[in-house]
Amino acid sequence: METSGEVAPAVESILAAARDRGGGDERLSVDARSLPAAFDRAEDEGRVPVIAEVKPTSPTTDGERADDPVALAEQMVEGGAAALSVLTEPGHFGGSPEALERVRAAVDVPVLRKDFLLYEEQLDVVEADVVLLIARFLQEEGTDDLDELIGAARDRGFQVLVETHTETEVKAALAAGAEIVGVNNRDLAKLEVDLSTFERVAPEARRLVRDGQSSGDAGRGSEGVTLIAESGIATPEDAARMRSAGADALLIGSAIMDGDVQKNTERLTNL
Ligand SMILES: O=C(O)c1ccccc1NCC(=O)[C@H](O)[C@H](O)COP(=O)(O)O
């Protein structure tokens, strides 16, 4: 597989490792906790719906946080996170399927598996409530197609968060039946973060849903799709900015992982 656009060397390396990673021994069947319902609960309780990410390290982070993922996850939930994301990518993010398994057993909020999944059998590595599929990497020769992987994930009981970065990718995600769409503010070509990405792409996503270009029928009532702003949200002002731009929920890693995890989560869920 070669990616259609240029990606940063770190991302090429992540993808090379993902191509070599195997799948699970047997097909999973998951009884998933509802992500949209968790967002609604947070809203009803006056909190910003935040997916807090257990992210020990990354290509753009200095050092590695070695705390027990379960302790971090519990602090995030205590701080008001509506849901959690747990990295399972080992080589570049310090994650593991075992970390996700332990976290999911310890909390009662939905847990997203954050990884770079390219093939159906990779879905069978560990149970999670939601899996991330990255549109950019699933339109290339040598990987499974986005719509096939969405179907394979749903057949196993997973909810699917389809990550996009451009209007074109949102269109492809909706055409493939995505009901939960993330817009990543991080450009995987340069690894730079720009919050105006979500501000630019979200209205187009809403327009496409209104015009019926989504084949999904779940999601946020008449809005039709759950839109998540991902990456680069560092301050309450950033969080408010993404909410004003139409984010139903926010995915936040680094800003929560840096320092007191519970206080950071509280600060970003209570605006
Ligand atoms: O975070 C990175 O450095 C990174 C590098 C290359 C590919 C993906 C990367 N991040 C994946 C993510 O989507 C983020 O972990 C997630 O959106 C949270 O972002 P942030 O709040 O900026 O940590």
Side-chain angles (χ1 to χ4, degrees), residues 1-256:
M1 177 191 84
E2 292 192 4
T3 44
S4 56
E6 292 262 307
V7 292
V11 177
E12 283 295 358
S13 168
I14 292 166
L15 289 173
R19 284 193 289 273
D20 287 344
R21 266 204 310 280
D25 294 333
E26 57 189 50
R27 187 185 166 93
L28 293 180
S29 173
V30 179
D31 183 13
R33 303 165 192 163
S34 166
L35 187 63
F39 293 162
D40 287 343
R41 263 195 309 278
E43 294 270 17
D44 290 348
E45 292 166 13
R47 286 175 286 120
V48 176
V50 166
I51 306 175
E53 186 160 277
V54 178
K55 182 180 183 184
T57 188
S58 83
T60 58
T61 309
D62 288 331
E64 178 157 353
R65 188 142 183 185
D67 310 44
D68 180 1
V70 172
L72 293 170
E74 285 171 340
Q75 290 163 46
M76 289 167 177
V77 173
E78 197 59 37
L84 300 176
S85 164
V86 177
L87 262 304
T88 55
E89 203 279 350
H92 303 78
F93 293 87
S96 69
E98 294 71 28
L100 187 149
E101 196 168 37
R102 291 181 54 235
V103 165
R104 188 162 181 260
V107 301
D108 56 9
V109 300
V111 182
L112 164 72
R113 178 178 175 199
K114 197 78 189 301
D115 209 323
F116 297 79
L117 304 178
L118 304 177
Y119 311 113
E120 177 171 349
E121 57 271 23
Q122 293 174 335
L123 293 167
D124 292 323
V125 167
V126 63
E127 291 191 19
D129 302 290
V130 192
V131 288
L132 181 85
L133 298 179
I134 301 177
R136 178 176 189 144
F137 302 140
L138 298 171
Q139 297 162 345
E140 310 291 337
E141 211 175 303
T143 70
D144 290 351
D145 289 341
L146 178 61
D147 55 348
E148 287 168 2
L149 262 191
I150 291 176
R154 288 190 181 141
D155 284 348
R156 288 163 169 79
F158 293 108
Q159 297 157 96
V160 180
L161 164 55
V162 179
E163 179 177 300
T164 65
H165 181 66
T166 63
E167 286 93 336
T168 308
E169 286 173 9
V170 169
K171 204 167 179 177
L174 295 175
E179 296 168 351
I180 306 172
V181 175
V183 179
N184 195 350
N185 290 310
R186 181 172 284 108
D187 176 1
L188 296 180
K190 300 189 185 124
L191 295 187
E192 286 167 1
V193 164
D194 180 353
L195 296 187
S196 69
T197 307
F198 185 84
E199 291 171 322
R200 191 179 58 252
V201 174
E204 177 63 6
R206 295 285 183 214
R207 189 189 66 72
L208 289 167
V209 173
R210 263 197 318 274
D211 293 354
Q213 296 198 35
S214 164
S215 57
D217 59 4
R220 320 299 294 170
S222 59
E223 302 284 293
V225 78
T226 300
L227 262 193
I228 301 178
E230 298 179 24
S231 302
I233 300 159
T235 64
E237 291 71 30
D238 292 342
R241 183 174 160 190
M242 293 295 93
R243 292 284 278 167
S244 299
D248 294 309
L250 316 175
L251 172 60
I252 309 178
S254 313
I256 287 179

